[in-house]
Amino acid sequence: MSLRFVGIDPETNGGNCPTVWIDEGTGDFIFQGTEVSEGGMLAEIATMSPIPSYEKVVRLPARMRDILREASS
């Protein structure tokens, strides 16, 4: 597996997350971000898409919109 770094939140504190990667073998998107743990938000998400124990919901800020567009092109 080879990952291609696409971008990091330009306002990140200390060069950490959130970041966007592409799996070069599959083209899959890989997101590193803050895990969503707020119960109400998770419950609302689960009404449309149940969240299995092996998945996490992460938040990426809106300011990363251009980085996500670049990843999808």
Side-chain angles (χ1 to χ4, degrees), residues 4-59:
R4 176 173 53 94
F5 174 78
V6 179
I8 190 167
D9 178 358
E11 295 182 23
T12 190
N13 183 11
N16 297 323
C17 70
T19 56
V20 178
W21 304 80
I22 298 293
D23 180 325
E24 293 284 12
T26 64
D28 289 348
F29 298 93
I30 309 297
F31 299 108
Q32 176 187 0
T34 303
E35 182 179 353
V36 174
S37 60
E38 197 276 309
M41 184 179 296
L42 292 172
E44 184 174 343
I45 290 167
T47 65
M48 295 298 292
S49 177
I51 306 165
S53 62
Y54 57 87
E55 291 184 350
K56 300 290 183 196
V57 176
V58 299
R59 177 186 295 269

